[in-house]
Amino acid sequence: MNKFVEQLVGRYAVLAPLADPIDQAAELLIRCACNSGKVLTAGNGGSAADADHITGELLKGFVKKRPLPPELKARFAEQGKCGASELAESLQMGIAAVNLGNAQALISAFGNDVNPQAAFAQHLWALARPGDVFIAISTGGNAENIRLALMAARAAGVKSILLTGCKNGVCCEYADVVIAVPERETYKIQELHLPIYHALCMAVEEALYNE
């Protein structure tokens, strides 16, 4: 079991029964990142903010600084431009990640012209490639736009992880890994989602940037 998953369930005993699916999710994400895949995320309301939080932890250093290796810093120095070497020192290695909810032009246009419930699915369909991973968040597990995005992910050959609560929503039928925290109230579900996705982000970061 991944050490960050072990630490997570050690801190949150209520999550101990979910150690296996959380560990499976970590393995999916590590395999994705190690093979230059990208992580796609989506959620509604507070879960949209969680989806953004996840991508933010992946795109830059999280608990590690992730400095550029010397060969990449050299590419900046070779330009011979003012500030190039300083920029290379500022930049960090990122893990490719996209929050599907952050494309307002697409969401509004597709929603107006075609089907608002399928906007996440359209965005995923345009970007996703086999080897990518989709992290879907639905506290109740019945969000239609999340269900359709999960369906599109499977058709695109993309593995999916669902973060949800214990309501056994319909989305559970569409995800490859379901992490259903043992709460029914939305805010309590979200409170448990955060340490889970932090552990997942740390696991991926450690796998790629073990200093």
Side-chain angles (χ1 to χ4, degrees), residues 21 24-25 28 132-134 150 153-154 157-162 171-179:
Q24 291 170 23
L28 281 181
D132 293 345
V133 172
F134 175 39
L150 286 165
R154 183 158 293 178
V158 169
K159 295 294 185 182
S160 59
I161 299 162
L162 174 66
C171 291
C172 295
E173 301 175 18
Y174 294 82
D176 294 297
V177 177
V178 177
I179 302 172

Side-chain angles (χ1 to χ4, degrees), residues 10 18 21 36 38 69 99 104 121 125 128-129 131 138 141 155 179 187-188 197 201 205:
L18 302 177
S36 300
K38 58 186 170 292
N99 175 10
Q104 289 307 307
W125 188 252
R129 299 294 181 270
S138 174
I179 302 172
Y187 78 94
K188 292 181 180 179
Y197 64 68
C201 290
E205 184 177 62

Side-chain angles (χ1 to χ4, degrees), residues 2 16 24 35 38 47 51 110 115-116 126 142 173-174 185 193:
N2 188 278
Q24 291 170 23
N35 287 288
K38 58 186 170 292
S47 295
F110 195 81
N115 178 1
N142 289 309
E173 301 175 18
Y174 294 82
E185 292 184 79
H193 281 175

Side-chain angles (χ1 to χ4, degrees), residues 67-68 72-77 83-92:
L68 272 60
L72 293 184
K73 291 181 180 180
R75 295 184 188 178
F76 287 84
S85 293
E86 291 80 5
L87 175 59
E89 293 296 331
S90 297
L91 294 177
Q92 299 176 327

